[in-house]
Amino acid sequence: MDAGGPAVDGGVPRVPHTDQRTAARTADVVINATPGDSSLERLGGLHAELAGKILVDVSNATRDADGLPGGLCCPGGSLAERLQAALPDTRVVKTLNTMLFTVMTDPESLATPPTVFVSGDDADADAKQAVTGLLGDLGWQPAWIEDLGDIRTARATEAMILVVPHVLRRHGLRPFAVSLTR
């Protein structure tokens, strides 16, 4: 994990790094981009380090089918809900999980404005506001950000992953996202 910008040592860039535990302890916001079927196991051991932090969950818990998402690992619930239950002192916000990874940081690359969904239990909305600010820094326009409500709404966005294999088989690895039109 990167612990800061690159330094130059004799003209050769040096990239500082650290372990997951230190990164989680020293960051204000932690991004969960681990494989969704192992996220709970990976992050559950960082309970103390993640206390008081914002955990942005961009993963989807699915079983693989030919290298693509097959079935959901959390039917009747969501990975985001399980993370929130396992990390009660962490503010979990689910977002960016309904699009191809290239769109996450370049939403304007699509011909139609995409929608990014946000779910989380943050009662005072500070975590959601922080995440919305980060989304804005990535190029997401306020009109493209849809706050769905509490963490239970992540069930719907995590289930959207089941459409991905069909889209990829039909169109190949081309950028796409869900777009909510009104």
Side-chain angles (χ1 to χ4, degrees):
M1 295 190 165
D2 185 2
V8 178
D9 186 13
V12 177
R14 204 169 26 96
V15 178
H17 63 281
T18 188
D19 61 276
Q20 291 178 336
R21 192 167 301 283
T22 302
R25 186 176 55 250
T26 58
D28 294 325
V29 177
V30 176
I31 309 290
N32 175 31
T34 63
D37 61 348
S38 63
S39 291
L40 194 57
E41 179 184 327
R42 291 170 188 259
L43 297 175
L46 300 175
H47 186 276
E49 290 81 3
L50 292 170
K53 309 297 173 116
I54 297 171
L55 178 65
V56 181
D57 181 26
V58 303
S59 64
N60 285 298
T62 59
R63 292 179 181 81
D64 263 1
D66 300 325
L68 294 172
L72 299 174
C73 292
C74 306
S78 70
L79 172 61
E81 288 174 282
R82 290 185 181 185
L83 286 169
Q84 187 62 81
L87 303 164
D89 299 325
T90 304
R91 296 172 293 167
V92 177
V93 178
K94 183 71 161 197
T95 194
L96 292 170
N97 65 306
T98 59
M99 63 205 64
L100 194 63
F101 64 92
T102 58
V103 179
M104 292 177 179
T105 59
D106 191 13
E108 293 181 351
S109 65
L110 301 177
T112 302
T115 302
V116 63
F117 301 99
V118 178
S119 301
D121 283 346
D122 188 29
D124 57 11
D126 286 346
K128 283 185 179 179
Q129 286 178 348
V131 171
T132 299
L134 291 172
L135 291 170
D137 291 345
L138 293 174
W140 289 90
Q141 302 298 315
W144 304 347
I145 301 170
E146 185 72 26
D147 185 342
L148 295 178
D150 67 32
I151 201 70
R152 291 174 300 177
T153 63
R155 295 175 185 188
T157 61
E158 286 187 22
M160 286 183 192
I161 192 70
L162 297 179
V163 78
V164 169
H166 309 292
V167 171
L168 293 178
R169 284 186 190 110
R170 185 166 171 90
H171 300 285
L173 193 62
R174 292 178 34 210
F176 70 90
V178 172
S179 182
L180 181 64
T181 59
R182 294 183 180 95

